[in-house]
Amino acid sequence: MQRRVTGLTAAVAALGITAGVTGCGATGGSGDVTLKMVAADYGDGPANSSQKYWDAVAADFEKQNPGIKVDVDVYSWSDVDAKVAAMVKKGAAPDIAQIGAYSDYAAQGKLYRAGDLLSIPVQADFLPALTEAGQVRRVQYGMPFASSTRLLFYNKKLFAEAGITDAPQSWTELATDARLLKAKGVKYPFALPLGSEEAPAETLMWLLSGGDGYTDNVGTYTLDSDLNVQTFKWLKDELVGKDLTGPTAPGELDRQDAFNAFSRGEVGMLNGHPTLMKQAEKKGVEYGMVPLPGVNGNAKSTLGVADWMMGFKRHGHKEEIGKFLDFVYDDANVLEFSERYDILPVTSTASDKMAEDPEYKHLRKFLEELPDSQLYPVGKTSWAQVSASLKKNIGKAVRPDGNPASVLRHLQNEAAAAESAE
């Protein structure tokens, strides 16, 4: 996941969120309401677990709202979505969930609309692209909580050894640089992780750099468009087919394995997100970052990724959920979360503050890409099925015996069928 929010303390105070609240559905003392929340863990161990962050936020909120208790359970990313799904299936949905997807629950009528929960200043402050991505049939249910974008990372030492003086800005330059890196014995001139871990992300980055994407302007799937076929034909012929992507077949290379190889100094170039910075720095790898190259210059946009906050109707705690979420989206809390986990704010005001603060200089290039980034079509309930199919099949498009047009046509047919069943 990903990014934070904005300074709305004054607005929140003006709306009276510091007042104590009592309500029905009590689970604490007389008149008290206890909100149950499930959240994802952005840490990499007990020392920086998100549980600590949420415990502190909940404690601060409870001091200002003595009638409301907040009980937060944090789970790893490998478990959290399944945990919430199991709770919903049992009829015991949490009041609040901060997880990877919301659209299935919205389509089932289980979620509050964002406008039913948030104050107007808070809801209006979300970055427009993230607001749109949080909508199902033009109604916002998913509230962005964390976000990130992608840039091209390159190893400065390997570039210098290969005589490369500038980072690539186009596909032609990228392929040329990859050939120079290979000639110097670099193991992965360009790492292309189309394995199951994050194939939908890597795929979308390349489709965007080729001038298209997963959907058209009205949201209809276009996976087998002419531009998308040309993109994967270029990858197959000019990178994979010329042995410029390393010893592991792209369809078998996971993102974290590619990141690990970059941090070992084995990768010349790859597409990466903010967490790669710290990983590479820990290993002493000096790197550069530039916007993704496109066909004839920088790509029109890059991939944006968001994780989602949602409020379930199950226990009827609309007012209390709204008060807590207004508090969560206060600048101080948002920027604290950003600092801990190197993620980007999801609101305009927090983004502006981050851009102006030298403390966040290392995230500035990612931040600059966020407003125009393209997100997965997460508002479609069919997206989960399409994403799973991409993970399973897209690597076949760049195999030596692969047929990009055939693979993308198969994916398009599956996507269209899934969409018609929505």
Side-chain angles (χ1 to χ4, degrees):
M1 316 215 67
Q2 323 27 109
R3 297 41 163 47
R4 306 346 99 319
V5 290
T6 165
L8 294 164
T9 307
V12 167
L15 289 165
I17 74 159
T18 59
V21 174
T22 60
C24 59
T27 54
S30 177
D32 287 352
V33 165
T34 296
L35 298 177
K36 297 291 293 185
M37 177 176 174
V38 173
D41 195 350
Y42 290 76
D44 56 12
N48 69 342
S49 170
S50 297
Q51 187 71 59
K52 294 184 177 181
Y53 170 82
W54 285 114
D55 287 347
V57 169
D60 288 344
F61 174 77
E62 289 169 1
K63 288 178 183 177
Q64 299 181 41
N65 297 269
I68 309 173
K69 305 295 183 184
V70 183
D71 183 7
V72 185
D73 291 323
V74 171
Y75 298 91
S76 71
W77 270 111
S78 61
D79 298 327
V80 68
D81 288 290
K83 178 67 176 179
V84 172
M87 295 172 71
V88 172
K89 186 176 181 179
K90 292 179 181 178
D95 294 288
I96 303 168
Q98 186 272 297
I99 52 178
Y102 69 88
S103 60
D104 278 354
Y105 302 125
Q108 295 167 26
K110 297 183 181 296
L111 301 182
Y112 288 113
R113 296 178 299 177
D116 292 335
L117 300 173
L118 301 174
S119 64
I120 292 174
V122 173
Q123 186 180 9
D125 199 39
F126 291 133
L127 292 168
L130 300 181
T131 294
E132 183 176 351
Q135 295 176 352
V136 173
R137 297 180 179 88
R138 300 187 179 183
V139 176
Q140 185 180 4
Y141 295 92
M143 294 159 278
F145 175 71
S147 67
S148 70
T149 55
R150 302 293 194 268
L151 294 170
L152 177 75
F153 282 68
Y154 62 95
N155 184 310
K156 289 186 175 181
K157 179 182 177 182
L158 297 181
F159 264 47
E161 292 174 349
I164 304 170
T165 57
D166 297 306
Q169 296 182 2
S170 69
W171 287 1
T172 299
E173 292 177 359
L174 186 149
T176 298
D177 292 347
R179 288 194 294 271
L180 293 171
L181 290 163
K182 180 186 176 184
K184 285 295 183 179
V186 174
K187 188 173 182 179
Y188 293 90
F190 186 94
L192 182 66
L194 294 175
S196 61
E197 181 184 0
E198 207 178 41
E202 188 72 19
T203 298
L204 183 52
M205 281 184 270
W206 280 100
L207 298 186
L208 291 170
S209 70
D212 207 338
Y214 284 141
T215 62
D216 61 18
N217 291 334
V218 295
T220 302
Y221 287 113
T222 57
L223 279 82
D224 64 344
S225 71
D226 289 344
L227 286 176
N228 289 344
V229 171
Q230 290 172 23
T231 293
F232 266 82
K233 189 175 186 303
W234 186 89
L235 283 173
K236 177 179 181 292
D237 295 343
E238 301 301 324
L239 288 187
V240 183
K242 294 184 178 178
D243 196 25
L244 300 178
T245 54
T248 304
E252 299 174 6
L253 182 65
D254 283 338
R255 182 209 63 192
Q256 191 56 55
D257 292 334
F259 281 15
N260 292 342
F262 186 84
S263 300
R264 294 193 300 267
E266 299 173 353
V267 175
M269 298 174 282
L270 84 171
N271 297 325
H273 56 64
T275 61
L276 181 56
M277 294 187 295
K278 283 187 177 179
Q279 183 176 341
E281 289 165 2
K282 287 180 180 179
K283 298 293 185 178
V285 174
E286 188 177 359
Y287 59 86
M289 302 180 299
V290 294
L292 302 186
V295 178
N296 298 308
N298 289 342
K300 67 173 185 177
S301 61
T302 188
L303 166 71
V305 177
D307 301 323
W308 301 97
M309 188 79 74
M310 62 211 71
F312 284 87
K313 296 178 179 179
R314 172 67 180 174
H315 304 291
H317 295 151
K318 180 174 67 175
E319 182 179 359
E320 293 82 5
I321 293 171
K323 288 181 181 290
F324 181 62
L325 292 181
D326 270 359
F327 185 82
V328 165
Y329 284 112
D330 178 78
D331 272 353
N333 294 325
V334 169
L335 292 173
E336 165 66 17
F337 197 82
S338 297
E339 181 179 0
R340 287 195 188 198
Y341 302 112
D342 279 338
I343 54 179
L344 304 179
V346 294
T347 62
S348 297
T349 51
S351 295
D352 291 343
K353 287 187 176 183
M354 178 177 280
E356 296 169 358
D357 191 337
E359 180 182 356
Y360 300 105
K361 183 179 179 179
H362 60 297
L363 291 173
R364 199 163 291 161
K365 288 186 177 181
F366 292 96
L367 193 64
E368 291 169 354
E369 297 292 317
L370 186 58
D372 296 321
S373 63
Q374 297 287 316
L375 281 77
Y376 301 136
V378 291
K380 292 177 172 290
T381 56
S382 58
W383 171 242
Q385 183 177 338
V386 174
S387 177
S389 186
L390 278 161
K391 291 179 180 180
K392 181 179 179 180
N393 294 299
I394 195 62
K396 300 174 183 177
V398 295
R399 288 178 180 174
D401 61 347
N403 184 324
S406 177
V407 171
L408 289 170
R409 188 180 310 116
H410 170 76
L411 289 167
Q412 172 64 24
N413 290 340
E414 287 195 344
E419 187 171 33
S420 66
E422 287 186 1

